[in-house]
Amino acid sequence: MASPEKSAKTAAELLATPVQFLKGVGPRRSELLQRLGLRTVRDVLFFFPRDHRDLTDQREITQLEEGKVQSVCGTVEDVESRSTAAAGCVVGVLLRCGTGFLRGIWFNQPFMRDRFVVGERVMFSGKPRLNGLFWEMSHPLVIRLAEDEKRPESGLLPVYPLTEGLQQWQLRQIVREALGSYGGLLDEVFPAAYLEAHGLWPIKRALPAIHFPATREDLLHARRRFVYQELFILQLGLAVKRHQQRSRAAPPLEATTKIDARIRRLFPFTFTPGQEQAIAETAADMARSVPMNRLLQGDVGSGKTV
């Protein structure tokens, strides 16, 4: 049986695996990921989405209703562009959704014609309306899916920062692979009792939920976990730095009555109570044999320079 030290080292080495060895990446795509600062598996795991698209209401064609935001998955069947005197340029994308069809329409956006390829899997999200025998969506939100991605597992779809040559569905697949193969290797930094006392999710629950949350509530729990951890580490670092400063020696610089009077003669006014307090606290710190660590804060014109 391996020792805890060896197991921890093995996990650390696996999390440091170069990103090109993740399933679906390879040397060429790894170059794109490195533009985003993603060099290792750990980098991918902690590459959090910048947003989530709420696609909770996903329907089949036969279930569509007018006037409500809904989402439909399908395959691009046809792309057309035409010009009319009344509406100008109109781009239409016909989506095959099972046995039915949905048409996405864009007005005066001719560039949209080049954004679609016949046969690709996409999701349209918007308010549908029935036009004769066809359902239509004007200017729907477009989510590109992998060929075998029938529909997102969750109604909350992650949106990641991208670079040219990399698409959202590709990055979602890469993140899923990293979570499935390596997510279980992460160590928990907080004791179980601490997590329970502060209402925090363990990392192995929070990490998948911040990428692919099942509900909006799960997303909030996951975000809270990582925000708390980041602030905790920041405060811990500051506390260590303060402790290190206090353990050092510093020459005491006492502000004697003579020195105080000599300085005060330079000012043609009497100090305010707040200034007097700041001077007294600063002078007391300087008289100690440890380095001073103080922040002087005040409004503009309150006398900080004094």
Side-chain angles (χ1 to χ4, degrees), residues 16-302:
T17 300
V19 71
Q20 77 176 72
F21 297 112
L22 270 173
K23 183 179 178 180
V25 179
R28 183 176 180 182
R29 190 166 289 171
S30 70
E31 294 179 3
L32 300 178
L33 294 174
Q34 288 182 36
R35 294 181 193 170
L36 298 171
L38 306 180
R39 294 175 173 80
T40 67
V41 168
R42 181 184 289 274
D43 294 335
V44 174
L45 291 174
F46 288 94
F47 188 63
F48 294 161
R50 60 177 174 81
D51 195 11
H52 286 81
R53 300 291 189 187
D54 192 347
L55 308 175
T56 306
D57 194 356
Q58 299 180 22
R59 305 195 182 193
E60 302 295 338
I61 291 294
T62 56
Q63 301 170 327
L64 291 178
E65 299 179 57
E66 291 189 341
K68 297 180 180 180
V69 176
Q70 295 143 78
S71 302
V72 177
C73 297
T75 304
V76 175
E77 188 80 5
D78 184 48
V79 182
E80 64 173 357
S81 177
R82 65 182 189 276
S83 297
T84 65
C89 176
V90 180
V91 174
V93 177
L94 187 64
L95 208 62
R96 177 187 290 274
C97 314
T99 58
F101 293 90
L102 171 70
R103 187 183 300 277
I105 297 177
W106 287 264
F107 298 98
N108 294 317
Q109 294 186 11
F111 57 87
M112 291 299 296
R113 193 194 184 303
D114 299 325
R115 298 283 179 89
F116 295 92
V117 177
V118 172
E120 70 173 331
R121 296 280 302 167
V122 299
M123 171 186 280
F124 285 174
S125 183
K127 293 183 178 180
R129 68 183 184 92
L130 194 59
N131 184 6
L133 299 177
F134 283 96
W135 285 97
E136 294 181 346
M137 283 185 184
S138 295
H139 297 260
L141 170 70
V142 180
I143 306 293
R144 284 175 166 77
L145 307 172
E147 292 181 7
D148 57 349
E149 191 176 6
K150 299 302 181 183
R151 62 174 62 224
E153 294 180 6
S154 167
L156 295 173
L157 201 65
V159 179
Y160 297 95
L162 292 177
T163 187
E164 186 177 355
L166 193 64
Q167 297 189 40
Q168 287 290 343
W169 67 267
Q170 294 170 327
L171 194 46
R172 287 198 299 271
Q173 279 192 328
I174 292 169
V175 172
R176 285 187 191 278
E177 174 62 26
L179 285 170
S181 300
Y182 297 90
L185 298 175
L186 293 168
D187 288 331
E188 178 57 70
V189 297
F190 296 117
Y194 189 92
L195 291 172
E196 184 177 357
H198 293 82
L200 298 173
W201 276 14
I203 192 169
K204 291 180 182 178
R205 182 180 181 187
L207 192 63
I210 204 167
H211 287 285
F212 303 100
T215 65
R216 182 66 62 178
E217 184 179 3
D218 285 358
L219 177 59
L220 294 176
H221 278 293
R223 282 178 175 170
R224 182 176 180 273
R225 154 66 199 236
F226 289 110
V227 169
Y228 187 101
Q229 180 172 329
E230 185 173 347
L231 293 176
F232 182 91
I233 293 173
L234 175 62
Q235 290 298 317
L236 184 62
L238 292 174
V240 170
K241 187 174 181 63
R242 283 196 296 268
H243 176 75
Q244 291 172 340
Q245 284 185 321
R246 289 169 183 166
S247 64
R248 297 172 185 162
L253 301 173
E254 184 180 358
T256 64
T257 303
K258 184 176 181 180
I259 293 175
D260 184 73
R262 184 182 299 171
I263 295 174
R264 287 176 184 270
R265 284 201 301 268
L266 300 175
F267 295 91
F269 55 82
T270 303
F271 296 151
T272 66
Q275 291 170 339
E276 291 285 7
Q277 179 183 352
I279 291 170
E281 292 178 357
T282 302
D285 277 353
M286 295 181 67
R288 299 171 63 196
S289 59
V290 296
M292 179 170 63
N293 183 25
R294 177 171 294 279
L295 171 67
L296 183 63
Q297 181 176 344
D299 296 334
V300 175
S302 63

